[in-house]
Amino acid sequence: MRSWTLAVAAGAVLAFPAAASAQGDPIMPLQEVEPGMRCTGYSVIRGTEPEPFDVEIVDVLGDGPGARLLVRVSGPAVDRTGIGAGFSGSPIYCRARDGRMKNAGAISETIGDFGGKTVLATPIEEIIATPVEPPTGDARASRAAAPAPRRPAGARRLSSPLTIGGVRRDIFRALAAAARRRGIPLLPASPLQASGPGGRTLRPGSAVGVGLSSGAVSVGAIGTVAYVDGDRVWAFGHQFDGTGRRSLLLQDAYVAAVINNPVQLPEFGGTYKLAGAISDVGTVTSDGFSAVAGRTSALPATIPVRVIAQDLDTGEETTSDVAVVDETDVGNPSGASALAFVAPLAISDAATGVLGAQPARLAGEMCLQLRFRERRKPVRICNRYVADGASGGSEEIGNVVALSAASDAATVISLVDAYKGRGLHVTELVARVSMTRGQRQAYMRRLILPRRVRRGQRVPARLVVQRVRGRRETVRFRLRIPNTLRTGARRITLRGRDADTGGDLFGTLTIVIGGDDEEVDTEGPRTVDQLARAIRREQRWDGIRLGKRRGPRAFRHGRLRIGGRASAVVRVVG
């Protein structure tokens, strides 16, 4: 049996088995934990190797579900920073009466202590009671579900806030600001997350990730392994979402540093580990109130997402590949798919980065393609965008084309999430975004039509347009005269489409990760063909219409978005 050792403050040596061992470490039942015990905690402070720190059991709070250990930490590893996000799951080993070191629990919650030295821990019995294979709705549970733990007043879990990696700094700032308004904590991933070889063996005290995605954009939460038994792993000491059966990425992780903030208040944040996932090592199968659990074996099902962004002015092209977890077969227990959050974020990031700057006046196009296992042909839409510098509520990001494209993708994926029919698996999502500098927007100044026309006739039309900050030009096309016009003198009006102003993409994404209290229509498409039609309706026609805003289509220029309004009087003779 292989083991690893860490010297404790008292001079003793603690050995406990690696994750691949056949049996987990001995545990200390709650009734054996006593105030005054001098114990040792383990957590990664920098890199990938756990380090020891001293733990004193101050008190035992409760004796049933929701019981907690009140502990005080000290030692070189934590004296400067205290405990913060990312320490969740740090195991605590105490010496039992028989002289053996036993796992008594894992750090899980803060209580607002200045400096973060006095915190709460979840007893190990509650942690490993989280089933690695939780019951499903298709079979009776083998035992009653554990009640939700009742935390002491003032305690808040070290929530392992979502960690976002691989995106540009301005994208992260915009997303974090929108999340903060909704009370959702986000942390940046360590820029060194790919350092060193991945696939390390997880053991108690190791840094661990619960991932929604990996690759160019990584989204998940970083915590600490609390207990290992063979290929089974328990972490965090509290919930991720608390939604039961899951199919998420289990990842090893790298810690760049512990960022010190001694003010442990929700509105100010607090100490946290600047960390990121290294590689995918297994599947998180269970998300309970007292732990997340999974196995270091097969990986979960994922959806490949590819984003191709092109600068039309230089020809430069970038490709981002992301693997997003697919929880379709476990019922998307959090309510929204990971795809609904990750794919729009990847599109926004890739499209923003390819230009190397954020010009306010842009034109672009996105073509989005989805493939389904249950449908032979892919579903594809293409939308065109023109930005005139207005950000429409997302002031932190100037690339309105990127935001608009990502918002369209979010809308399409929400239709997939709302699908109520039988069996649906997304097998691929590909987005191609192309952009060019300059607005490529013109406004109508004059419409010239023949004096005499007939109903249903297609007549030559000339439209004088003014390019934004450019020259005037004449656009020629053929206009069909409506059959509904009465004879006599009639005014024909054309209406164009103005520039896009973006949208609150990041507000939309934070609803996905945080939930929303508003009622929404959950009927959704009921067949795959209905879904395909609903998706195709998201392809907008941005040309000129006849008469009302939603009137008949009249003309669409191949290069320009034409906005404004123009009219001409004709005589209808029959």
Side-chain angles (χ1 to χ4, degrees):
M1 178 184 299
R2 293 186 301 165
S3 65
W4 63 288
T5 60
L6 287 172
V8 299
V13 173
L14 169 64
F16 48 94
S21 63
Q23 185 176 358
D25 294 328
I27 67 170
M28 179 173 287
L30 182 63
Q31 60 267 28
E32 295 182 15
V33 181
E34 299 176 354
M37 279 184 164
R38 300 286 179 171
C39 309
T40 302
Y42 294 87
S43 202
V44 176
I45 306 303
R46 189 176 187 280
T48 58
E49 290 299 315
E51 297 184 30
F53 54 90
D54 298 331
V55 178
E56 176 190 357
I57 306 296
V58 177
D59 206 348
V60 178
L61 308 178
D63 57 3
R68 290 292 183 267
L69 309 178
L70 181 65
V71 303
R72 184 179 296 117
V73 303
S74 60
V78 294
D79 277 345
R80 188 179 66 86
T81 63
I83 299 297
F87 281 85
S88 295
S90 299
I92 298 170
Y93 283 77
C94 301
R95 189 172 300 282
R97 296 186 183 93
D98 62 5
R100 292 194 299 167
M101 298 298 289
K102 295 183 178 181
N103 190 322
I107 289 171
S108 56
E109 290 134 0
T110 62
I111 54 175
D113 174 55
F114 181 83
K117 301 294 181 60
T118 302
V119 295
L120 297 175
T122 301
I124 192 62
E125 291 167 299
E126 284 202 25
I127 291 174
I128 62 177
T130 301
V132 174
E133 300 297 338
T136 69
D138 297 327
R140 292 185 178 181
S142 58
R143 59 179 178 174
R150 297 184 297 275
R151 290 194 292 270
R156 62 183 180 95
R157 60 190 174 96
L158 292 169
S159 56
S160 295
L162 276 185
T163 298
I164 312 292
V167 300
R168 296 172 53 82
R169 186 175 302 175
D170 46 0
I171 297 287
F172 176 82
R173 282 201 304 264
L175 181 58
R180 196 178 305 116
R181 291 192 291 269
R182 292 180 173 272
I184 303 167
L186 296 181
L187 292 177
S190 164
L192 302 177
Q193 64 189 59
S195 295
R200 293 176 177 83
T201 299
L202 295 179
R203 54 194 181 187
S206 292
V208 66
V210 173
L212 302 180
S213 68
S214 63
V217 174
S218 60
V219 178
I222 302 297
T224 304
V225 175
Y227 193 79
V228 174
D229 186 1
D231 70 341
R232 299 183 298 168
V233 177
W234 288 263
F236 287 15
H238 57 65
Q239 68 192 49
F240 176 62
D241 286 325
T243 52
R245 191 173 184 84
R246 300 305 299 263
S247 183
L248 304 173
L249 291 164
L250 181 65
Q251 303 166 315
D252 61 347
Y254 175 93
V255 179
V258 178
I259 306 303
N260 185 28
N261 181 356
V263 182
Q264 303 286 320
L265 296 174
E267 58 269 29
F268 296 112
T271 292
Y272 69 92
K273 290 184 180 181
L274 180 62
I278 303 174
S279 59
D280 306 329
V281 298
T283 302
V284 173
T285 54
S286 182
D287 181 8
F289 289 126
S290 297
V292 296
R295 293 182 183 274
T296 54
S297 51
L299 299 180
T302 57
I303 300 168
V305 172
R306 170 163 287 190
V307 182
I308 303 154
Q310 184 180 27
D311 181 342
L312 294 175
D313 300 318
T314 65
E316 181 181 351
E317 184 174 284
T318 63
T319 300
S320 300
D321 289 302
V322 185
V324 183
V325 295
D326 181 8
E327 293 195 286
T328 300
D329 290 336
V330 296
N332 278 337
S334 65
S337 67
L339 192 67
F341 179 75
V342 179
L345 185 60
I347 291 170
S348 178
D349 181 71
T352 299
V354 71
L355 297 182
Q358 291 197 55
R361 300 183 185 277
L362 290 169
E365 182 181 58
M366 180 189 70
C367 290
L368 181 73
Q369 178 175 284
L370 284 168
R371 289 187 179 273
F372 300 98
R373 185 190 304 170
E374 293 77 11
R375 193 173 194 272
R376 185 173 60 87
K377 292 183 178 180
V379 183
R380 186 171 185 261
I381 67 168
C382 290
N383 281 334
R384 191 166 65 172
Y385 312 98
V386 176
D388 67 356
S391 61
S394 298
E395 302 84 2
E396 300 89 343
I397 298 296
N399 192 328
V400 172
V401 171
L403 287 176
S404 298
S407 292
D408 282 350
T411 300
V412 167
I413 300 169
S414 71
L415 291 171
V416 177
D417 284 353
Y419 174 76
K420 295 298 187 294
R422 178 182 178 183
L424 184 71
H425 298 79
V426 179
T427 58
E428 181 186 55
L429 184 151
V430 178
R432 179 178 285 274
V433 185
S434 55
M435 289 178 293
T436 180
R437 296 157 185 84
Q439 192 167 334
R440 290 199 178 179
Q441 174 88 41
Y443 287 90
M444 290 182 264
R445 292 294 181 257
R446 186 183 177 195
L447 174 62
I448 304 168
L449 295 174
R451 293 183 179 181
R452 295 164 63 88
V453 299
R454 294 182 180 274
R455 288 174 291 199
Q457 181 184 16
R458 297 184 70 87
V459 302
R462 288 181 293 161
L463 188 62
V464 179
V465 300
Q466 173 79 56
R467 283 180 177 254
V468 173
R469 299 178 182 270
R471 68 182 187 276
R472 285 197 176 194
E473 60 185 76
T474 300
V475 176
R476 300 173 186 274
F477 61 99
R478 297 190 72 83
L479 176 68
R480 185 178 182 275
I481 304 301
N483 286 315
T484 55
L485 286 183
R486 292 177 296 172
T487 58
R490 295 288 176 257
R491 180 175 293 276
I492 292 181
T493 300
L494 298 182
R495 293 178 184 270
R497 183 181 175 92
D498 294 338
D500 299 296
T501 57
D504 190 6
L505 168 68
F506 300 108
T508 300
L509 293 182
T510 52
I511 290 174
V512 171
I513 62 174
D516 193 51
D517 295 329
E518 296 181 8
E519 288 190 14
V520 296
D521 179 13
T522 60
E523 176 66 19
R526 289 170 289 178
T527 68
V528 178
D529 286 341
Q530 283 184 2
L531 173 62
R533 288 194 294 270
I535 291 174
R536 284 195 291 265
R537 283 195 293 270
E538 295 305 316
Q539 178 163 309
R540 292 184 300 277
W541 196 79
D542 66 347
I544 297 168
R545 292 184 181 271
L546 185 63
K548 298 179 181 179
R549 190 177 300 276
R550 295 185 178 274
R553 297 178 180 182
F555 170 73
R556 183 178 185 269
H557 198 283
R559 294 179 296 105
L560 291 175
R561 168 84 63 81
I562 299 178
R565 177 177 170 180
S567 61
V569 176
V570 298
R571 179 166 293 276
V572 181
V573 297

